[in-house]
Amino acid sequence: MRSFQEQVCCSQVDVVIGKDYVEELNSINGRKAVVFSKNLKLEGLEADLLIPLDDGEQAKDLSTVLSIAREMFEKGFDRGDYVIAVGGGTVLDVVGFASSIYLRGLKLVNVPTTFLGMVDAGIGGKTGVNFQGIKNVLGTFYQPSKIVIDLKFLRTLPIEELKKGMAEVIKYSLTLDKELYDYLSLNKDRVMAKDEDALEEVVYRSVKDKLGVVKQDEREEKGIRIVLNFGHTIGHAIEAGSDFKVPHGYAISVGMVCEAKIAEEMGYSEEGVVEDVLWLLQLYNLPISVDQLGQNVSVEKALKAIGKDKKVRGGAVMMPFPTRIGDWKRVDVPLETLRGFAEQCLK
Ligand SMILES: NC(=O)c1ccc[n+]([C@@H]2O[C@H](COP(=O)([O-])OP(=O)(O)OC[C@H]3O[C@@H](n4cnc5c(N)ncnc54)[C@H](O)[C@@H]3O)[C@@H](O)[C@H]2O)c1
């Protein structure tokens, strides 16, 4: 079991990893609305209001936010009460958004139940819903006061979901955490066999790494939080080029390979970094090239999407490049230069 606290700007975030979530949540004093994925069976949880949700991308909609708010309003929930979100990233995003706007913010507890939720979506305070068919258009930055990670949830999670989340973990290791890189290199069998001690270590390091970045640049204003976007510029382009048929985790896996190659070709990374990136991704059976994705990826659509990247400023893209394993640097790459490199990589 691990527990620690981080101060993110004006909020204290308590993190508990590897403890029974029912025990942990029942020990919270106060009224609780538990909003949870319908796919999960929750037993023994004390709650004043239970709101089951369908999960998946379609749940990230304003109508879900309004229905959560309506139920809390009818029950007279006030600012001293808690909202507890139990589910994967989609549930956490929509419940986080609802809790951030209801009475300008109720205390939020995140209980991620997917691996991606544990290492990424449940951490860092980004909430949101999709709008007009585009992801995360409406949202807030709102830190949970507590994050409770119970690894037992992973027992029922398909291995494919573990693999997709692993792409984000590998991203942390490549840019921020050489020790995590070494741990992943040595413990692949334990991690993929869902050994709970190994998963605890991986989740712990990932949460620490992400929160360590978020606390320096909570609102993506200082050019630091962009490191969490390593692999995502080309990754998003691949998703767009495949009409979103390629899953996010696999798209960013190939995206990391391309971006590491670009960093090397532009002379920003030490020799051998690309080989190290390829080696770890392959160890976890993640794709390293477009032809391993099993989907048609339109290069034209992909290159167009690069222009819409949220890191574009004045005709250049702020790219977080790995300089050596566990270290990175921001480089502003002109859009046309990036498109040129991307085209080579996506062919
Ligand atoms: N806020 C952020 O910082 C952030 C970061 C990364 C991703 N996200 C968002 O997260 C979402 C993706 O999250 P996700 O991959 O968790 O998807 P998801 O929420 O759709 O969950 C995936 C599937 O796993 C099921 N599931 C949940 N817990 C389970 C368990 N313990 N055992 C078995 N099945 C379980 C769900 O019912 C669902 O079918 C996207 O909308 C993405 O935009 C947000």
Side-chain angles (χ1 to χ4, degrees):
M1 205 272 287
R2 326 258 178 124
S3 65
F4 60 95
Q5 300 170 338
E6 288 283 5
Q7 188 71 28
V8 181
C9 169
C10 328
S11 324
Q12 181 178 304
V13 183
D14 291 345
V15 183
V16 183
I17 303 170
K19 197 173 165 199
D20 180 57
Y21 78 101
V22 175
E23 199 183 310
E24 191 62 29
L25 296 179
N26 286 350
S27 73
I28 295 174
N29 287 318
R31 292 218 302 163
K32 290 169 254 179
V34 176
V35 193
F36 64 101
S37 159
K38 267 186 192 164
N39 291 349
L40 300 166
K41 274 203 194 71
L42 306 185
E43 278 163 12
L45 206 52
E46 292 159 11
D48 299 276
L49 177 60
L50 280 170
I51 307 178
L53 292 186
D54 288 318
D55 52 17
E57 263 335 288
Q58 72 287 348
K60 286 179 56 171
D61 188 80
L62 268 186
S63 59
T64 316
V65 177
L66 294 178
S67 73
I68 296 169
R70 200 170 295 120
E71 292 209 41
M72 293 199 301
F73 189 72
E74 279 167 9
K75 281 265 182 177
F77 266 70
D78 64 39
R79 290 190 74 178
D81 298 332
Y82 287 86
V83 179
I84 295 171
V86 188
T90 54
V91 169
L92 301 176
D93 276 6
V94 68
V95 179
F97 186 50
S99 101
S100 73
I101 59 170
Y102 183 86
L103 297 178
R104 301 200 175 88
L106 294 198
K107 281 170 280 188
L108 170 68
V109 179
N110 274 349
V111 185
T113 63
T114 59
F115 188 59
L116 184 76
M118 294 178 185
V119 299
D120 194 357
I123 322 298
K126 281 191 182 175
T127 80
V129 296
N130 306 329
F131 186 63
Q132 307 284 50
I134 303 180
K135 277 187 68 135
N136 305 328
V137 171
L138 304 175
T140 54
F141 288 99
Y142 191 70
Q143 296 300 329
S145 51
K146 202 176 182 100
I147 302 165
V148 178
I149 300 179
D150 186 338
L151 301 161
K152 285 198 298 295
F153 280 115
L154 300 180
R155 291 178 191 164
T156 53
L157 194 76
I159 213 72
E160 200 71 12
E161 294 298 316
L162 189 67
K163 246 175 80 179
K164 290 180 200 159
M166 197 52 71
E168 302 285 356
V169 172
I170 291 176
K171 174 194 76 180
Y172 301 134
S173 82
L174 297 174
T175 49
L176 298 164
D177 192 344
K178 165 88 166 67
E179 281 179 36
L180 177 58
Y181 184 94
D182 293 340
Y183 189 86
L184 293 173
S185 306
L186 295 171
N187 291 282
K188 181 243 166 181
D189 290 343
R190 288 176 67 208
V191 171
M192 294 315 285
K194 299 187 184 171
D195 171 308
E196 276 178 22
D197 290 335
L199 288 172
E200 183 174 303
E201 178 67 18
V202 169
V203 170
Y204 170 74
R205 294 203 78 101
S206 301
V207 174
K208 273 262 173 199
D209 290 339
K210 182 164 182 186
L211 272 180
V213 169
V214 170
K215 72 182 203 185
Q216 296 175 65
D217 183 14
E218 187 192 20
R219 291 175 180 241
E220 246 162 30
E221 290 162 340
K222 299 180 187 157
I224 301 171
R225 195 166 175 161
I226 61 162
V227 65
L228 302 177
N229 238 258
F230 172 54
H232 284 58
T233 300
I234 306 288
H236 286 151
I238 291 171
E239 288 181 272
S242 73
D243 292 326
F244 296 90
K245 291 195 183 100
V246 174
H248 179 75
Y250 297 158
I252 66 149
S253 178
V254 177
M256 288 191 280
V257 173
C258 289
E259 292 182 19
K261 283 183 180 165
I262 298 170
E264 185 178 80
E265 283 183 45
M266 292 184 76
Y268 289 103
S269 60
E270 283 179 359
E271 230 186 282
V273 171
V274 172
E275 282 71 23
D276 292 343
V277 171
L278 289 169
W279 188 79
L280 195 57
L281 291 171
Q282 280 176 305
L283 185 67
Y284 282 84
N285 285 320
L286 284 160
I288 56 163
S289 64
V290 174
D291 56 14
Q292 292 177 354
L293 292 171
Q295 293 289 345
N296 181 40
V297 177
S298 150
V299 176
E300 194 189 331
K301 279 189 194 166
L303 296 182
K304 214 164 144 199
I306 290 179
K308 298 211 173 73
D309 193 276
K310 64 179 177 184
K311 298 185 299 306
V312 175
R313 299 283 181 283
V317 190
M318 298 185 286
M319 296 292 289
F321 279 157
T323 47
R324 65 169 82 95
I325 296 303
D327 232 325
W328 71 284
K329 179 184 166 67
R330 169 185 157 179
V331 179
D332 295 344
V333 183
L335 256 176
E336 283 320 304
T337 310
L338 189 60
R339 284 207 178 100
F341 280 121
E343 191 172 3
Q344 284 175 32
C345 199
L346 297 176
K347 270 198 291 209

